[in-house]
Amino acid sequence: MTSTAVRSPQRLPIDRPAPVTGSGIALRGVSKEYPLKRKTSLRALDGLDLEVAPGEFVALLGPSGCGKSTVLRLVAGLEEASAGAVDVEGRPPAQLAREHRLGVAFQEHALLPWASIRSNVALPFQVAGRPVDDRRVDDLLRLVGLGGFENARPKQLSGGMRQRAAIARALALDPDVLLLDEPFGALDAVTRRRMNAELARIWSEQQITTLLVTHDVDEAVLLADRIVVMTGRPGRVRYTCTVDIPRPRGADVTRTPEFHGLVDTLTAMLDSADETA
Ligand code: ADP
């Protein structure tokens, strides 16, 4: 990080690293190369270290193309690192994915269009070959504010409601870890703000280890315990800070100097990311 790249660097919040516990999420020295044509490759990540402590909510910010989604796919066990180690709960992510202990929600909600909201939320039970726990499904539908919409089809719901259903589905099997990749990226600003408040409420009730990829600085500050900012590609951790704003963080928080100070600092850092990549 260059001192000129960030406004008022002396005001940067002090980082308190996540405790090393052997559980939660840990990426150590992770690099990822994607093979391209004619024996060339693209280095998406380069020596990335990142920890999310059990029960912690970490938001990952960074310029477009810096490797945020790659990090999430590695933690979800959908891809393998080219170098370094990725552990979730002290084990390889693919193993946890096979045991259905990772809850994943991406920008595209990917609900089955022909199935009811209830069936969509219950789907992970079927995928895992387990009997559907109807009470759990009811509780989740209530948790995400979709009680009364069980029989609706996805297209009968608003974008925000569909994303809430996707989050309920991600939580269906009571996962150890929740992975969210721009879950509200396709929503308008007002709905997105409402969904941020909903996610904060859901998270405060579950306190599940969560890694959120977002390009929205306000969203990161509203939701996260810690924020990790990545460099431009190849992605590494550039900066980490603890969000010392007490919860619950309602709409009034967004009007405080603490909120604005942190948002400004992080925005300036993202604006200057390409200079330091
Ligand atoms: P972000 O989420 O920060 O926008 P991504 O993780 O999607 O970034 O991508 C990081 C870089 O890796 C980008 O340059 C992207 O084009 C490249 N990339 C991602 N997936 C692949 C792939 N399957 N094959 C080749 N390049 C990829």
Side-chain angles (χ1 to χ4, degrees), residues 34 36 42 44 63-70 73 233:
Y34 289 110
L36 299 177
L42 179 144
S64 181
C66 74
K68 300 182 294 299
S69 296
T70 299
R73 288 197 297 272
R233 182 165 61 82

Side-chain angles (χ1 to χ4, degrees), residues 30 35 37 44-45 64 105 110 127 159 200 203 230 237 256:
V30 167
K37 279 187 267 178
L45 301 174
S64 181
V127 172
W203 182 84
M230 290 173 66
V237 171
T256 61

Side-chain angles (χ1 to χ4, degrees), residues 204-271:
S204 69
E205 288 181 29
Q206 307 271 314
Q207 296 258 314
I208 185 170
T209 308
T210 301
L211 182 58
L212 166 76
V213 162
T214 181
H215 67 267
D216 185 318
V217 178
D218 288 34
E219 181 168 281
V221 175
L222 266 180
L223 291 171
D225 296 316
R226 274 190 314 127
I227 296 175
V228 174
V229 182
M230 290 173 66
T231 63
R233 182 165 61 82
R236 277 169 282 114
V237 171
R238 179 178 176 197
Y239 174 70
T240 305
C241 71
T242 302
V243 183
D244 271 334
I245 301 173
R247 295 180 190 271
R249 299 178 191 151
D252 47 336
V253 160
T254 62
R255 292 187 280 274
T256 61
E258 291 78 15
F259 182 87
H260 283 290
L262 190 49
V263 168
D264 285 353
T265 301
L266 292 166
T267 304
M269 192 172 283
L270 287 172
D271 287 346

Side-chain angles (χ1 to χ4, degrees), residues 98-101 122 124-133 172-174:
R98 275 196 299 277
E99 293 169 11
H100 307 281
R101 290 174 58 193
F125 288 97
Q126 283 152 1
V127 172
R130 298 182 198 167
V132 175
D133 181 341
L173 298 180
D174 197 15

